Amino acid sequence: MKNFTRYFFTAFVMLFSVVMMAQETIKGNVTDTQNLPLPGATVMVKGTKDIATTGIDGTFTLSTSATSGSVIISFLGHNQKTVAFTITPGTPLTLEPIMLTEDSEELDAVVIVGKGVIDMAQDRRTPVAVSNISRREIQEKSGNQEFPEVMKNTPGIYVASQAGGYGDSKMFVRGFDQTNTAFMLNGQPINGMEDGNMYWSNWSGMTDVANQVQVQRGLGSSKLAISSVGGTVNIVTKATDLRKGGFAQSMIGNDNYSRTTVGYNTGLMESGFGASAMLTKWSGDGYNRGTYGEGYNYFLSFGYKANDKHLFNFLVFGAPQQHDQNYTKSIANYLRYGRKYNNNYGFLDGDYISERVNYYHKPVANFNWDFTISDKMNLSTVAYASWGRGGGTGNYGSSANKKYTSDGHIDFGTIRTNNRALTDGIGTVANSYLIRNSVNNHSWYGVVSNFNHEISQNLSYNAGVDLRTYKGTHYREVSNFMGLNGFFVDDNVQYPDYTVTEQFSANPWSSFTNKPANTQKIDYDYDERISYLGVFGQVEYKTDEFSAFVQGAISNQSHVRWDRQQYSKEQEKSDKVNNTGYNIKGGASYTFAEQHTLFANAGFYSRQPYHDNIYLNFGNEVNNFTENEKITGLEAGYRFRSNYVDINLDGYMTRWKDRVTTNAMYNVLNTITGNEEQLFSNNSGVHQLHTGVELEVTAHPTSQLDIKGFASIGNWKYDDNVYTRVFDESRNIIPNSVYKTTATSTSFIQNETINEVKGRKVGGAAQTVFGLGASYKIVKGLSVDADWRMYDKLYSSTVTKDIVEIPSYDLVDAGLTYRLNFTNTSLVFRANVNNVFDEVYLSEITSSNVVTPTSVNYRGVNVTNNVFFGNGRTWNFSMRYNF
């Protein structure tokens, strides 16, 4: 790998040295039918060897000695187009925008979608730090991996692999986790309203329906008042398709993975109507033991083109799924039981049972209306709704009653025997064990509308509104009594002293009909209402060489909760809390010598705290010390465009003050009971400073070869000390000196403490990343590709003084594609191998036990630390028939 790294840097130097000289210049922009850029399209002067390729924004600059003729524009999977030109000698020629339609090898071209509310970077002249992932790359490289994996070959991105199970990946942008990166689906925000998190298991079908993904790092181009501290990820789905046709695809992969997908499009009919539908069924055992998962993905879209002014589209997308989960655990346990060890499952009467199952079904519906008022004005609106139903299972009762077998798995047989021995088979928190469902249901409705007006050729503005309302319902119910006849509850204020006798399946389908009575709930039972109103606007001035913009948004959030477990009927409703937040961004760019662009952007966010941080201890008591988080962002960049090489160089500084974080700690030793439990560490007053540089290079040396390289070098650290509190799994503050971080550690976890972390590194994501990838078309229809990435400076995710760094590692992925074209149909074969060399590495560390003179160590890391080993070699093979 050291030699490979040398080749990597040598290739960069060679690519930078490419210089093209010619007499005349042709410039232009190439897009698909959705007006999204087509990076890597070939532009050639007919009858000559003069050739250029488009950059990531779809633009090209072509040098030629011809003063008239035709240029041929082609892109794999799209219909070729020829455009005539005539050049006035000595004067650069800019062609009209060139749109390519797709051919039968691909999913059909999207023609109806609410584009005006989707903040793609190309919609604004002033650049941002951005990377585009095309539909082809998503389809080919995602395979049996989760959706965040499609973004791992872009600078500033770190994805912790799905060692926890299907849907449990974590993604970081410039060192900021998913709660601080805004994820947008067709212009609508999809981060959790309560905590800002992203639960990828809810979106397991995204790789099937995503048309393009654009990663905007840092300030981005979004006009909404959203959580884009690290950046904004815009996901654009397919909608109603232009041509009649369909496809069928089958995939197999490691660990008994299988996926079957079928889709069909009516095409846009003479009446102006059209419909598209898709259905997927998938299942797999998971890479680690005890991480089985299965689910469905469905997509249905109806479009109507009333006339040239009005386009309508209604779509529904959902991905019901359930998957067994694995948590981080000590390296010592992995070394004892194997790297695929999972202690969350066991067997009862020969049948497999998992204690930790995530199950969820979150249908999303949105209605888009694009209204072209005139050639200078347009209005785009999306109304959306989602209904999330499901939750996760876990143990409930006394930890002393949870037993393990000698091979490290849960001893359900002994647990059932102990439960049956109780009087009348009725258990309590103190004397029994059962599996519960933690139910997290919600209903979310919203509308985003944006009006755009091009005042003149140089000046434009837009303004809009963002409305959302959300209600979440949270309670626990029994999933498996484990031999009990009932469970006695005596801590519910409104319903004292009752016995629970019903159990409910952990199933994404039945979760829509599970409605337990109040006297069939355990542990907690509360609702939350969050309402949001935001307005936003932007003004931009642009010429051929110069552009500048100013953006602003202001929003108000109101919060209220109802708690039926801890409070009487008269006191169950909390005080309402209103918080106002805002952001303002501005920037400018200058293009000189045709191929070179410099830009700078700056912004400030005053972001409201999340709902979960407003009310203390998951009760109705309002935290009066909660305040808005302050984020200041500065970035500058350079863009170079030539016929064969595009270079993006970005530098950034993000200062984040007054933030609050919560981390989960698994398998923590209770010194009184002697059992391991799960805890949550809450940190307030966190100040972070993230600085760094990012480089991205794309090159097309020949029509058969594409090369992409990137580098991210960050310096992310805490800029002040923090205040920490620790809660147990039932959300109670734990007493002092009851828990140790591990069985061999001498340091006790305190419930309230000051952490002196100023100057310490921020963990969770690798601060240094290098990558190099290439794709080569061997012969017509046959291509091969490979990607290499190296990760370094990866620290534990805990906010603590003593932070632990895990060893650097590098990974190689490879793929092969073969296409057979027939009359009006095609057959596509694709094979992927990820982690080709089966590298053994740590992808995540959630504790910070330092090396001591007496500690046992693994590759320089204390074995008492809780970690995830990254997935070893995995593979998938698919066959797709397009008709």
Side-chain angles (χ1 to χ4, degrees):
M1 284 303 169
K2 291 183 179 179
N3 289 334
F4 199 89
T5 305
R6 296 190 188 101
Y7 299 153
F8 168 79
F9 286 108
T10 302
F12 267 30
V13 173
M14 294 175 64
L15 293 175
F16 292 166
S17 65
V18 176
V19 178
M20 298 298 296
M21 301 292 292
Q23 294 178 349
E24 309 297 346
T25 300
I26 302 174
K27 297 191 291 185
N29 181 45
V30 181
T31 68
D32 63 11
T33 52
Q34 199 186 354
N35 200 33
L36 298 175
L38 285 178
T42 301
V43 184
M44 181 177 65
V45 177
K46 186 176 182 180
T48 73
K49 295 183 179 181
D50 300 331
I51 189 172
T53 54
T54 57
I56 62 172
D57 57 356
T59 62
F60 68 88
T61 300
L62 173 63
S63 298
T64 181
S65 58
T67 57
S68 63
S70 299
V71 291
I72 301 172
I73 304 96
S74 59
F75 186 76
L76 190 61
H78 290 68
N79 295 310
Q80 184 175 284
K81 193 167 189 177
T82 302
V83 177
F85 71 89
T86 300
I87 300 176
T88 301
T91 302
L93 173 66
T94 300
L95 298 175
E96 293 293 323
I98 300 164
M99 181 180 294
L100 299 185
T101 59
E102 299 179 0
D103 65 21
S104 60
E105 291 186 4
E106 297 294 327
L107 290 174
D108 297 320
V110 177
V111 296
I112 300 178
V113 68
K115 294 180 291 187
V117 297
I118 303 175
D119 287 318
M120 305 298 278
Q122 67 266 20
D123 294 335
R124 194 182 68 199
R125 181 70 63 87
T126 308
V128 294
V130 63
S131 297
N132 292 304
I133 299 98
S134 68
R135 178 171 53 204
R136 174 177 292 277
E137 186 173 357
I138 296 169
Q139 289 178 349
E140 290 185 346
K141 294 188 177 182
S142 59
N144 56 355
Q145 298 185 99
E146 292 188 78
F147 188 74
E149 299 283 345
V150 306
M151 294 172 269
K152 63 188 177 184
N153 291 310
T154 57
I157 303 298
Y158 181 76
V159 179
S161 63
Q162 58 197 52
Y166 294 106
D168 288 347
S169 286
K170 298 178 182 178
M171 175 181 164
F172 297 78
V173 181
R174 289 183 173 173
F176 298 105
D177 65 17
Q178 298 173 150
T179 65
N180 304 295
T181 298
F183 294 88
M184 311 290 288
L185 179 66
N186 293 337
Q188 71 184 68
I190 58 175
N191 293 72
M193 286 284 284
E194 297 174 19
D195 57 9
N197 217 328
M198 273 298 294
Y199 303 95
W200 291 109
S201 56
N202 300 345
W203 310 99
S204 62
M206 199 74 80
T207 55
D208 291 324
V209 302
N211 195 51
Q212 187 192 29
V213 177
Q214 186 177 82
V215 181
Q216 301 173 7
R217 301 179 296 278
L219 296 170
S221 64
S222 176
K223 296 179 285 291
L224 306 185
I226 51 179
S227 308
S228 52
V229 181
T232 304
V233 177
N234 274 303
I235 305 165
V236 183
T237 70
K238 65 195 296 288
T240 304
D241 293 346
L242 176 64
R243 283 185 295 103
K244 182 178 180 180
F247 72 94
Q249 184 180 39
S250 182
M251 178 184 295
I252 59 173
N254 58 279
D255 298 292
N256 293 319
Y257 183 86
S258 66
R259 186 170 75 188
T260 301
T261 306
V262 293
Y264 184 74
N265 318 306
T266 66
L268 195 62
M269 298 177 285
E270 292 183 3
S271 62
F273 285 94
S276 299
M278 187 202 69
L279 179 66
T280 297
K281 169 68 172 71
W282 67 271
S283 65
D285 291 341
Y287 182 80
N288 289 300
R289 295 192 294 270
T291 55
Y292 174 81
E294 63 177 353
Y296 293 84
N297 310 319
Y298 58 85
F299 173 86
L300 185 62
S301 178
F302 297 97
Y304 176 55
K305 184 177 181 180
N307 49 49
D308 290 338
K309 288 184 175 293
H310 298 280
L311 292 174
F312 302 94
N313 195 83
F314 175 77
L315 66 85
V316 177
F317 164 55
Q321 62 79 40
Q322 62 188 81
H323 70 277
D324 301 341
Q325 295 181 293
N326 182 30
Y327 294 151
T328 60
K329 55 189 61 65
S330 71
I331 298 174
N333 274 331
Y334 283 116
L335 296 178
R336 179 179 179 184
Y337 298 114
R339 292 199 311 273
K340 293 189 175 185
Y341 172 59
N342 181 0
N343 63 335
N344 287 338
Y345 72 93
F347 297 89
L348 182 62
D349 298 332
D351 295 327
Y352 164 89
I353 298 177
S354 176
E355 184 186 74
R356 296 284 180 171
V357 180
N358 176 278
Y359 63 102
Y360 218 77
H361 187 184
K362 181 183 172 70
V364 175
N366 64 48
F367 178 77
N368 295 284
W369 172 34
D370 285 332
F371 177 24
T372 304
I373 303 172
S374 69
D375 60 347
K376 301 293 185 181
M377 293 185 290
N378 61 75
L379 176 69
S380 189
T381 303
V382 56
Y384 61 89
S386 70
W387 306 271
R389 299 293 185 270
T393 69
N395 63 299
Y396 188 69
S398 172
S399 297
N401 293 287
K402 182 178 180 180
K403 307 299 181 181
Y404 284 91
T405 62
S406 59
D407 60 357
H409 296 120
I410 301 173
D411 188 351
F412 288 115
T414 299
I415 290 170
R416 183 178 64 180
T417 299
N418 293 341
N419 283 344
R420 286 177 173 176
L422 298 173
T423 303
D424 297 325
I426 304 299
T428 67
V429 171
N431 66 10
S432 64
Y433 167 101
L434 55 77
I435 298 178
R436 47 75 182 165
N437 295 332
S438 292
V439 178
N440 301 300
N441 297 335
H442 73 253
S443 297
W444 185 350
Y445 304 93
V447 60
V448 180
S449 187
N450 180 58
F451 171 76
N452 183 75
H453 184 196
E454 186 179 337
I455 300 174
S456 67
Q457 184 177 358
N458 304 115
L459 185 64
S460 64
Y461 76 90
N462 59 57
V465 63
D466 176 14
L467 301 172
R468 310 172 216 166
T469 182
Y470 169 98
K471 183 178 182 181
T473 298
H474 309 274
Y475 58 86
R476 280 181 171 174
E477 61 190 13
V478 176
S479 178
N480 191 327
F481 279 111
M482 300 304 302
L484 294 172
N485 295 323
F487 189 83
F488 181 71
V489 176
D490 63 355
D491 61 349
N492 189 314
V493 174
Q494 292 195 26
Y495 302 92
D497 300 348
Y498 59 86
T499 299
V500 175
T501 58
E502 296 182 55
Q503 66 182 29
F504 299 87
S505 172
N507 181 282
W509 297 102
S510 63
S511 62
F512 269 85
T513 57
N514 282 358
K515 295 182 179 179
N518 288 326
T519 54
Q520 293 298 309
K521 299 175 182 177
I522 60 175
D523 200 24
Y524 58 78
D525 180 16
Y526 62 93
D527 295 337
E528 299 167 316
R529 169 74 70 182
I530 305 172
S531 299
Y532 179 99
L533 168 62
V535 293
F536 55 87
Q538 173 182 286
V539 177
E540 182 175 30
Y541 177 80
K542 57 186 178 182
T543 66
D544 288 341
E545 293 82 21
F546 175 79
S547 69
F549 79 97
V550 176
Q551 259 181 24
I554 186 170
S555 63
N556 183 78
Q557 292 182 5
S558 68
H559 304 261
V560 67
R561 73 188 307 272
W562 296 261
D563 195 318
R564 294 170 290 276
Q565 174 82 16
Q566 304 181 74
Y567 302 92
S568 65
K569 186 68 176 178
E570 296 73 25
Q571 297 176 321
E572 71 174 34
K573 184 178 180 180
S574 72
D575 292 336
K576 180 180 286 188
V577 176
N578 285 283
N579 289 311
T580 299
Y582 65 91
N583 67 48
I584 185 167
K585 297 185 285 188
S589 71
Y590 176 64
T591 300
F592 60 97
E594 297 181 358
Q595 298 173 314
H596 306 270
T597 300
L598 294 173
F599 71 92
N601 300 314
F604 178 79
Y605 289 76
S606 177
R607 191 180 78 172
Q608 301 101 316
Y610 288 122
H611 181 95
D612 287 351
N613 296 321
I614 290 176
Y615 297 98
L616 289 172
N617 307 336
F618 291 90
N620 285 351
E621 183 183 358
V622 176
N623 183 358
N624 294 319
F625 295 99
T626 301
E627 59 182 313
N628 281 15
E629 300 173 3
K630 290 85 173 176
I631 302 103
T632 302
L634 302 173
E635 62 185 25
Y638 165 73
R639 302 286 181 263
F640 173 76
R641 300 290 180 261
S642 75
N643 291 350
Y644 296 107
V645 179
D646 290 345
I647 302 172
N648 300 320
L649 179 63
D650 301 290
Y652 65 91
M653 185 281 290
T654 304
R655 184 180 296 276
W656 190 4
K657 300 181 66 176
D658 300 323
R659 68 169 294 208
V660 176
T661 66
T662 301
N663 295 314
M665 298 179 290
Y666 303 104
N667 304 321
V668 181
L669 182 70
N670 184 313
T671 60
I672 295 177
T673 66
N675 292 290
E676 292 181 337
E677 300 178 16
Q678 178 181 356
L679 303 179
F680 298 89
S681 176
N682 178 268
N683 304 284
S684 58
V686 181
H687 293 188
Q688 291 178 213
L689 177 64
H690 292 220
T691 58
V693 294
E694 299 162 342
L695 176 67
E696 187 173 35
V697 179
T698 57
H700 315 282
T702 71
S703 59
Q704 287 78 36
L705 178 62
D706 295 328
I707 299 174
K708 177 181 177 180
F710 70 92
S712 303
I713 301 175
N715 181 22
W716 313 327
K717 60 184 180 181
Y718 295 103
D719 209 31
D720 204 348
N721 299 322
V722 302
Y723 178 68
T724 301
R725 291 176 296 172
V726 179
F727 302 85
D728 64 19
E729 196 169 0
S730 294
R731 302 179 172 118
N732 302 307
I733 289 184
I734 67 168
N736 283 335
S737 303
V738 173
Y739 293 88
K740 289 182 180 180
T741 51
T742 67
T744 59
S745 173
T746 58
S747 62
F748 288 90
I749 294 176
Q750 305 292 317
N751 69 334
E752 296 177 283
T753 184
I754 298 294
N755 274 339
E756 298 179 357
V757 298
K758 185 174 182 179
R760 297 293 179 177
K761 297 290 187 179
V762 174
Q767 301 201 15
T768 299
V769 183
F770 294 102
L772 181 65
S775 176
Y776 184 71
K777 303 174 184 67
I778 302 172
V779 294
K780 184 178 180 180
L782 180 63
S783 63
V784 63
D785 55 83
D787 296 289
W788 166 82
R789 298 175 304 282
M790 189 279 290
Y791 301 96
D792 194 17
K793 305 299 181 184
L794 177 55
Y795 303 93
S796 57
S797 57
T798 55
V799 183
T800 184
K801 180 179 180 180
D802 297 318
I803 197 164
V804 176
E805 181 180 357
I806 59 180
S808 61
Y809 64 94
D810 59 3
L811 301 174
V812 174
D813 303 331
L816 183 71
T817 302
Y818 182 56
R819 301 172 183 271
L820 288 171
N821 295 321
F822 309 101
T823 304
N824 298 321
T825 63
S826 65
L827 192 60
V828 183
F829 301 90
R830 173 70 183 184
N832 289 299
V833 179
N834 299 301
N835 192 0
V836 173
F837 300 107
D838 200 22
E839 172 134 345
V840 177
Y841 64 100
L842 303 177
S843 64
E844 186 176 354
I845 178 169
T846 58
S847 59
S848 292
N849 301 325
V850 299
V851 170
T852 68
T854 60
S855 64
V856 178
N857 305 319
Y858 171 81
R859 298 175 63 181
V861 180
N862 190 324
V863 298
T864 62
N865 280 293
N866 289 336
V867 303
F868 269 140
F869 278 89
N871 289 356
R873 184 187 298 113
T874 60
W875 62 272
N876 59 80
F877 175 79
S878 65
M879 180 176 66
R880 180 187 179 101
Y881 177 62
N882 300 302
F883 59 91

